[in-house]
Amino acid sequence: MLIAHVFIKKFNMSQIVITLHGIRTRGTWQKQVAPILARNGFTPYLLDYGYFSALNLVLPWARNKKLQWLRDSITSICEKERVERVSIIAHSLGSYLIAALVESNPSFSFDKIILIGSIVDDNFDWNSYIEKGRVNLLHNDYG
């Protein structure tokens, strides 16, 4: 396990993993994955933006409010942990919020992004963000 920690630090890989739940849920899966991440040397942060209804999904101001919350939350975690990049595991609406954050905030860069049940359009240009070095690795499991 020590070798894994040295490898992660040497190659500047994020040990901070932020999880973000989906619409109409409070992210039970986050509580299940957190101890697994911790046992493997990662520091999990389980973000919870609260219950978000399907009606709110179609309201731009409601989505923007959650996007601002996410921007502030990730900024706070990066400052607290003194890191520039974190990894993300996001489900459903969480995947939408991460894509919107990447698209709208050029100052944000991520190590790994795993999207599960993604609602991000499969035409979203992730490759451009990977080529620019803003995302090191992406797995987009879209629904």
Side-chain angles (χ1 to χ4, degrees):
M1 188 58 78
L2 180 59
I3 292 171
H5 288 285
V6 170
F7 180 82
I8 289 168
K9 287 184 187 294
K10 180 178 178 180
F11 292 100
N12 222 6
M13 295 175 69
S14 173
Q15 290 183 297
I16 309 303
V17 179
I18 295 173
T19 64
L20 190 59
H21 65 83
I23 191 170
R24 297 174 36 183
T25 178
R26 295 302 293 265
T28 302
W29 65 270
Q30 294 173 280
K31 294 153 193 75
Q32 295 167 343
V33 77
I36 297 167
L37 289 168
R39 277 195 305 271
N40 286 281
F42 296 97
T43 303
Y45 278 86
L46 287 57
L47 295 186
D48 182 350
Y49 54 77
Y51 184 85
F52 196 77
S53 72
L55 175 62
N56 283 333
L57 184 59
V58 300
L59 300 172
W61 63 267
R63 291 192 313 267
N64 288 337
K65 183 177 177 182
K66 294 302 178 191
L67 183 59
Q68 179 63 48
W69 167 84
L70 179 61
R71 184 180 314 123
D72 294 346
S73 296
I74 292 176
T75 298
S76 176
I77 291 167
C78 288
E79 289 172 357
K80 177 183 176 188
E81 295 290 341
R82 298 182 183 167
V83 297
E84 292 181 16
R85 290 178 183 248
V86 296
S87 292
I88 304 285
I89 303 172
H91 174 248
S92 183
L93 180 65
S95 68
Y96 167 84
L97 292 172
I98 292 298
L101 184 67
V102 168
E103 187 173 47
S104 65
N105 292 275
S107 63
F108 275 84
S109 296
F110 296 95
D111 186 21
K112 294 173 181 62
I113 298 177
I114 300 170
L115 306 178
I116 305 160
S118 174
I119 61 170
V120 178
D121 188 322
D122 61 347
N123 291 322
F124 187 85
D125 191 10
W126 285 109
N127 286 334
S128 69
Y129 299 108
I130 292 169
E131 289 169 4
K132 292 174 187 172
R134 294 199 37 227
V135 176
N136 288 340
L137 181 75
L138 169 79
H139 175 78
N140 186 8
D141 179 27
Y142 55 90

